Every structure is written in C-alpha cells, then in structure tokens.
Amino acid sequence: MAATTTNPTFAAIPTSTSTSTKTQKPHSLPSSISFSIALPKRLRITSSLQNLKPSPPSATKTRTHSPLPTIDTDKPFVSRFAPDEPRKGCDVLVEALEREGVTNVFAYPGGASMEIHQALTRSNQIRNVLPRHEQGGVFAAEGYARATGRVGVCIATSGPGATNLVSGLADSLLDSVPIVAITGQVPRRMIGTDAFQETPIVEVTRSITKHNYLVLDVEDIPRIVKEAFFLANSGRPGPVLIDVPKDIQQQLVVPNWGQPMKLPGYLSRLPKLPNEGHLDQIVRLISESKKPVLYVGGGCLNSSEELKEFVGLTGIPVASTLMGLGSYPCSDALSLHMLGMHGTVYANYAVDQADLLLAFGVRFDDRVTGKLEAFASRAKIVHIDIDSAEIGKNKLPHVSICADMKVALQGMNKILESSKGKLKLDFSAWREDLNEQKKKYPLNFKTFGDAIPPQYAIQVLDELTNGNAIISTGVGQHQMWAAQFYKYNRPRQWLTSGGLGAMGFGLPAAIGAAVAQPDAVVVDIDGDGSFIMNVQELATIRVENLPVKILLLNNQHLGMVVQWEDRFYKANRAHTYLGNPSKASEIFPDMLKFAEACEIPAARVTKVSELRAAIQKMLDTPGPYLLDVIVPHQEHVLPMIPSGAAFKDTITEGDGRRHIFYLEFTCSYGFTKVISPLKVT
C-alpha cells in the first residue's frame, strides 16, 4: 500500500509496493512506504548525466577546472560481492549509490546510521567528506549539485541528525536543486514508540521534498535508490529523502539489481515535447513586438548555449533572476544583469516598458515582480517552464508552454534559423533606449575616506579572478552585492540560497563546490552574520585541505535587517548589532581566531588602499584562506524596490549615514506604499 499526503496543496503520486516470494516477516507493516508530492520539476526531463561537464575557464592565472570524477558507464559494474552472496542492507545501499555514479557524499554518523558509515569504509569508490554539522552536510551536498548539475548526496542519523537537514531540503526544493538525503531511523519495531532519537522525518519533510521514502523491506533498496536519483534529477529537480531503519541496514539479503522503477504517475506527468505550432506563435509575437525582453531564471541553467544562440538570432536583451545569473553572460552587451528588488534600474525599466516579456524558466517570484498588477503591465507575456504548477500561478501569461527549456529553445532556434530571410527583427532603437538607461543609472557606490566599500571589494575580486571563480554566498547585503558586482559568464559558478534565503549557506556550499571542482578557485563571499552560523565547517575545510577562499564582509551587524530598519523603522535598532556592546570599538567576535583554531591562514584589512593586495594574497595562498574585510555598516544595497511596490517606487539614493525612513500606509493588497522620503540627521 502507498501512503498519501495529508497536505491538500499537493497531490500524492500513487506507487505500488514491491512483491516478494519470500516468507512474510512477523511484523505487519507493508514492504515499503513511499511519500511524494506531485510537483512537475524544472530544468531536465531526463535523468541522464551526459553533457554536464563544467566550462573550462578558471579564476586566476593558469588554473583550469578539472573534470569531475566519473564512472565509466559503458563498463559493467563490478560488485565487491559475488552475485549470490548475502550482504547487509547497508552494503546494498552503498553499492546502489556506487551504481548511480556517486563518488562523494557528505555524511555525519550517529547511532541509527553507523551501519551505513561502516559500509562506506568498505567502498573503494565513494569518499565521505565529514561535515561538522548535518546542516553543513546538506548545504555542501547542495553546493556540489549546484556547481555540477549532478545529484548531491548527504547522510545523517535519526532524530536531531535528520531534523538538522530540514533547512537544506527546503532550500533545495525552492531552488530546484537535485539532492538525495539518506537518514538512519530507529528499528522498525520501535517506530512510533517515541524511541531514543526517533523523529518521523518522512512526515516532517513531506512538504519540503519532491519525494520521500520509508524503507520497510530490505529488498526494495535497489529500486528505491534508483527511483530517488531519477526523481531528484528529472523534470524540475529537487530533494528526495530515503529513511532507512537500522534493522533494515543490518539485515542480510541477496539484492535484485534488475528491479524496474515504479513511477507510473510521475512519468505520465513529465512534460512532452513542445508543440511546434506554439513555438511558431512565440516567434510570430517576437516579430510583431518593438520592445521585447527576456526574463530568464534557474530553469535556463542547463540550456545556456541554446539561450545564447536564441539571443544571437533575435537580438533581444536579457534580464536575469538571482537564480538565473550565469545562464547568459553578464559581461555581454545585451545583458541587463539582474532584475527585481535589488536589480538594476535598466533591467526593471526594460520589463516595465516592454511590449513582450519572454519568461523562460522562471516562477514570477515576489522579489522579482513586486506589485504583481504593475509588473510588465504593458507586455504580452510568454511563459515557458517545465513545472506546470508555476504557469499562471502568480501572473497569467498570454502564451504558455510546459516543456523542458532546452528543448523549447532548440525548437525556436530552428524556426528562427529557417526564417532568417523572412523575419525582419530590428530592435536597435529599443536597445539604444536601454543603453541610455545603463549610462544614466549604472551600478555604483560611494567612498568615504579609508573605509572599504563592500561593493568595491567584490569588484576587485571580479577583476583579480577574471570573473572565473565559483562564488558562494550567505544571505543578506553581501549576497546582493555579490549578485550585482561580480560578472557571471557561465552557468553554475553562482551558488546562493535564493528562495529560502538560508543564512549559513555560503561556507558549506563552497565546500561542496570545492569537492566537485578541486582545481577551481572557489570563493565564499560571506557576511559576519551568515558566516558564524556554520563557522564550524572551517574544520572540514582544513582537514580535507579544500582550497576555499573566504572573503568575509564584516560590518558587525545584520546588514540587510539594519537597512530595512533605516528605511522603514526610523533606524530603530532591534537586536541587529552582532558585536560586543561593552567593547563597541573592537571587532567581535574575532574571526581570525576562528581561523587560527582551525589552522587556516587569515588576515584582516581595514583600509581601501590595502584591499587589492590583500585579496591578491588570499588568491595566491595555497589551500584555504580567510580574509576579514571590515566594512561600514551604514551601506545600503541599491537600487531597491520596496516590498510590494512597483518600478516607479525605485530607491536609488541614501544610506544609513543619514537615517532615511518613509511614511507608509498599508493598502488593501497588503503591501507597503511609499508616499515620500523623509531624512532625519
């Protein structure tokens, strides 16, 4: 029997349990229970891993990306066991991971998962990177997946170990990141008895996973693992959880590796090939428009080449979401960079003035749209996404296609190529208008004496790495500045927690990226608030000798919350100072001592004149390095469109040096309407 979700928001996918000819066990539980959420997923229809090699250029000097460790799938898998040799369930689980091509996992042991760890020590293929906290492990698995497009794997024990994965699972669901999380569970006979370290993690994670399993028959492990990897990386990617009771891990079995997947409901809902007539209709709308704009998101990360070809054929300017950065080169003349709350004025202007909005691989997130009624109000909207649930959810399109973005772009490119002589696409006047906006409202910042502008620190990093580093971030002001001032020219070099906005993401995500791309320059651009949430992962970096560079923008405050306090709460500080009030003139805590405790080289820079040399030294130092960059807490991320407001309400001036707040009222739609700015010295 298959259990169904009790959340009315989601529909359960029916799955049948496997059959067996062996004698029924004494317990009365069914052989397996699988929980799933019917969310058609974005980015890829196939679970194939081909063509996912990272782009070759690297960061500084002559470094190049090394290829990912791969398993030759043309050769038959050679097991450590004889075909008819019984082995423990934990060994079956590890071999199932090996058969999926897994070479790295991020696993923290405990009582209910130690059998799995014992089995990992018997694997010659899988390396375990030991995090110092389960949240660090799941964020590292995400970093691995985001940097490669492959499934990241993390493992935790039952109870608190499993619940420590929750933020990472929610984050990967919102950002469409393929991970498989494996948790130990108390023995089957103890489930439901409130046993030591028992948590019903399947129930806890039901609404924040794409699919999850409670394994109740050891013979189901090969099928379940195969399904989990297929589900995680097909359609719109997402997290899948497998909960394995300890007695299942210990039980002897001769596995059947030929079991077929049982996902009829899921497979039937995967998008089909796009209708050529619909693609023709989109091309016709492009030919009729005068001011078209591309609005691209994370759904385009696997179709970057097709997107570049499409832009080359049409000459349409490209605005990217936070998640879509790198899908189209930010340094290209047709790039409008990021749109949305902290997007460029010219990107938001383009969407506001457009007569055709091509929304590719996006979900019309509130941080992009602001006031929905005012977003792209002059435009016809074309929405293509692999997730049918996203189409029309927030903004009703004029034309919509539920399809893989790569396939849809290939189809449109074919039509555009064949129509070159007939189509007269000339958007030069529109592009000139946008170029004027770029000149009028460039991204900029002010300098104040010797103080280091945080934006400048990121700009220098971009210059010294030639824009080739893999960048991870925490969440807050530094995240937005990293999105604005580092120019991402290829997909999967930008790793950030977008939908969930999980502080503490940057450092462990950098670990995952460094494991996946050992020869790449990986830089965690972090804030002091985010960094300290997973500071324990410095130990992992040191022990694994991972060359992660940490550019810490330290302003002693929760910067983004301080900015909102300045703007909307009359600069009233409500627990946003992270230093020691009794020693306000000192840097607290001393981040250099954290690094010293973990034997990681570190330095602090306080003057703008010393910044470039300090960053160069960080990049030139072999192995990990922490650079503590002291920046003013009064800086604001600009431009800014207040939450629920429209393009016309864009803020482009001001910071915390002169406290700025706004008269507000809440309208019937629930958003804050800005009336007029007031300055208070």
Side-chain angles (χ1 to χ4, degrees):
M1 96 185 213
T4 57
T5 176
T6 57
N7 188 337
T9 308
F10 305 107
I13 300 171
T15 59
S16 58
T17 58
S18 60
T19 59
S20 174
T21 56
K22 66 182 185 309
T23 306
Q24 181 65 34
K25 297 179 181 60
H27 62 79
S28 59
L29 292 170
S31 62
S32 69
I33 299 178
S34 64
F35 298 90
S36 64
I37 300 167
L39 292 176
K41 298 293 178 179
R42 187 183 292 139
L43 293 181
R44 291 183 75 81
I45 291 178
T46 175
S47 62
S48 172
L49 300 179
Q50 72 269 25
N51 299 325
L52 289 178
K53 293 180 180 178
S55 302
S58 179
T60 58
K61 301 190 177 177
T62 58
R63 288 180 177 177
T64 57
H65 290 292
S66 65
L68 290 170
T70 56
I71 305 301
D72 189 348
T73 54
D74 293 331
K75 294 181 180 179
F77 182 86
V78 179
S79 175
R80 297 186 303 279
F81 300 90
D84 58 351
E85 180 183 356
R87 76 289 311 256
K88 286 184 174 183
C90 58
D91 287 299
V92 176
L93 178 64
V94 169
E95 183 170 323
L97 296 178
E98 292 174 338
R99 288 171 178 266
E100 292 296 329
V102 174
T103 55
N104 295 280
V105 298
F106 304 89
Y108 196 91
S113 65
M114 62 188 300
E115 290 281 356
I116 300 172
H117 282 262
Q118 290 295 310
L120 285 171
T121 67
R122 297 189 281 271
S123 172
N124 295 320
Q125 177 178 313
I126 299 177
R127 163 198 182 191
N128 180 38
V129 178
L130 177 67
R132 268 41 180 188
H133 190 286
E134 291 92 352
Q135 187 182 92
V138 68
F139 282 161
E142 274 200 86
Y144 183 95
R146 289 172 188 257
T148 64
R150 298 179 64 176
V151 177
V153 180
C154 60
I155 303 173
T157 191
S158 63
T163 56
N164 280 341
L165 301 180
V166 165
S167 292
L169 295 172
D171 186 62
S172 57
L173 183 71
L174 282 168
D175 287 353
S176 306
V177 180
I179 66 170
V180 168
I182 298 169
T183 52
Q185 183 55 276
V186 299
R188 286 171 295 177
R189 68 183 181 280
M190 299 174 69
I191 292 176
T193 67
D194 295 331
F196 176 68
Q197 290 193 334
E198 180 194 358
T199 298
I201 197 62
V202 163
E203 299 294 334
V204 170
T205 63
R206 179 178 291 170
S207 62
I208 55 170
T209 51
K210 183 177 177 181
H211 195 101
N212 55 24
Y213 296 91
L214 173 61
V215 182
L216 295 174
D217 189 325
V218 68
E219 292 192 350
D220 286 341
I221 291 176
R223 172 182 62 81
I224 285 174
V225 172
K226 186 188 301 183
E227 289 180 4
F229 275 77
F230 178 76
L231 288 164
N233 209 30
S234 63
R236 179 179 177 177
V240 178
L241 181 135
I242 304 173
D243 196 29
V244 190
K246 189 169 183 177
D247 60 323
I248 291 285
Q249 300 171 36
Q250 296 170 326
Q251 189 175 346
L252 292 176
V253 69
V254 176
N256 175 12
W257 298 109
Q259 298 178 56
M261 294 191 298
K262 297 182 178 180
L263 299 170
Y266 177 79
L267 292 171
S268 70
R269 284 190 288 275
L270 284 175
K272 309 300 185 289
L273 292 175
N275 183 288
E276 191 171 341
H278 294 160
L279 299 179
D280 272 322
Q281 186 180 2
I282 294 171
V283 172
R284 186 170 67 252
L285 287 173
I286 293 171
S287 68
E288 294 170 354
S289 68
K290 301 295 183 186
K291 298 180 178 181
V293 174
L294 274 159
Y295 155 37
V296 302
C300 292
L301 289 176
N302 282 352
S303 51
S304 177
E305 292 303 315
E306 290 79 8
L307 178 62
K308 285 188 279 188
E309 184 182 353
F310 180 83
V311 174
L313 289 167
T314 60
I316 298 175
V318 184
S320 174
T321 68
L322 182 71
M323 293 305 303
L325 288 171
S327 58
Y328 188 80
C330 290
S331 59
D332 189 84
L334 285 175
S335 172
L336 300 172
H337 306 116
M338 188 172 70
L339 80 164
M341 177 178 282
H342 292 296
T344 61
V345 170
Y346 40 90
N348 289 324
Y349 170 86
V351 172
D352 187 66
Q353 296 296 312
D355 61 5
L356 178 65
L357 184 70
L358 301 172
F360 290 176
V362 297
R363 59 187 180 90
F364 290 88
D365 175 70
D366 62 287
R367 289 297 171 106
V368 167
T369 64
K371 183 181 179 181
L372 268 171
E373 301 92 316
F375 182 76
S377 58
R378 299 172 174 84
K380 292 180 180 177
I381 296 175
V382 172
H383 192 183
I384 304 178
D385 198 275
I386 203 167
D387 186 352
S388 60
E390 295 294 351
I391 295 174
K393 183 179 78 173
N394 294 327
K395 191 80 174 177
L396 194 64
H398 297 78
V399 178
S400 64
I401 297 177
C402 181
D404 183 289
M405 224 28 262
K406 192 181 191 78
V407 177
L409 281 167
Q410 288 171 343
M412 287 185 288
N413 290 342
K414 185 177 179 181
I415 294 170
L416 289 164
E417 281 281 2
S418 64
S419 306
K420 269 186 176 179
K422 305 172 187 176
L423 289 175
K424 303 296 181 183
L425 303 180
D426 181 10
F427 306 122
S428 56
W430 173 229
R431 290 194 297 267
E432 184 58 35
D433 183 12
L434 297 179
N435 286 336
E436 287 299 316
Q437 292 295 315
K438 285 185 177 183
K439 294 174 186 176
K440 189 175 180 182
Y441 298 104
L443 287 173
N444 55 29
F445 52 87
K446 296 176 181 178
T447 58
F448 295 88
D450 287 335
I452 300 173
Q455 306 94 322
Y456 178 64
I458 296 167
Q459 194 175 77
V460 170
L461 179 69
D462 180 51
E463 293 171 9
L464 294 179
T465 58
N466 300 314
N468 284 322
I470 295 175
I471 303 294
S472 69
T473 75
V475 171
Q477 286 182 315
H478 70 274
Q479 176 191 31
M480 295 297 103
W481 285 319
Q484 291 176 336
F485 287 92
Y486 200 95
K487 300 298 178 267
Y488 304 94
N489 290 319
R490 68 178 189 275
R492 305 201 177 284
Q493 67 172 131
W494 166 243
L495 319 176
T496 198
S497 174
L500 190 67
M503 293 176 67
F505 177 84
L507 187 59
I511 290 174
V515 169
Q517 308 281 12
D519 292 332
V521 174
V522 179
V523 183
D524 170 28
I525 299 176
D526 227 326
D528 49 314
S530 280
F531 176 70
I532 205 169
M533 284 196 172
N534 271 314
V535 70
Q536 76 284 340
E537 299 308 325
L538 287 175
T540 303
I541 290 170
R542 177 70 282 168
V543 170
E544 299 290 339
N545 198 29
L546 299 172
V548 172
K549 314 299 183 184
I550 303 158
L551 186 70
L552 184 59
L553 302 180
N554 189 346
N555 65 6
Q556 298 282 280
H557 288 74
L558 290 172
M560 187 61 84
V561 187
V562 165
Q563 176 170 332
W564 281 56
E565 287 175 339
D566 287 343
R567 296 282 175 178
F568 310 116
Y569 294 90
K570 303 180 182 179
N572 181 48
R573 296 288 175 258
H575 320 119
T576 48
Y577 175 58
L578 299 178
N580 185 347
S582 65
K583 298 180 180 179
S585 62
E586 299 178 9
I587 301 299
F588 179 88
D590 188 343
M591 301 298 183
L592 303 187
K593 290 184 178 178
F594 284 128
E596 181 185 359
C598 294
E599 302 175 2
I600 291 176
R604 175 175 293 144
V605 59
T606 60
K607 296 180 180 179
V608 69
S609 59
E610 301 170 355
L611 178 67
R612 183 176 292 269
I615 293 179
Q616 188 64 66
K617 181 180 179 181
M618 175 187 76
L619 295 170
D620 291 341
T621 301
Y625 193 97
L626 186 149
L627 182 60
D628 192 18
V629 183
I630 307 303
V631 298
H633 73 273
Q634 298 95 336
E635 289 292 328
H636 286 186
V637 180
L638 297 174
M640 178 183 182
I641 299 176
S643 180
F647 171 69
K648 65 182 178 61
D649 302 310
T650 302
I651 302 167
T652 58
E653 295 291 337
D655 58 27
R657 291 174 179 87
R658 299 187 72 196
H659 299 318
I660 300 175
F661 63 96
Y662 288 79
L663 292 175
E664 307 164 355
F665 75 91
T666 302
C667 74
S668 58
Y669 295 102
F671 60 83
T672 298
K673 177 67 177 177
V674 178
I675 305 299
S676 61
L678 299 177
K679 295 187 179 181
V680 179
T681 57

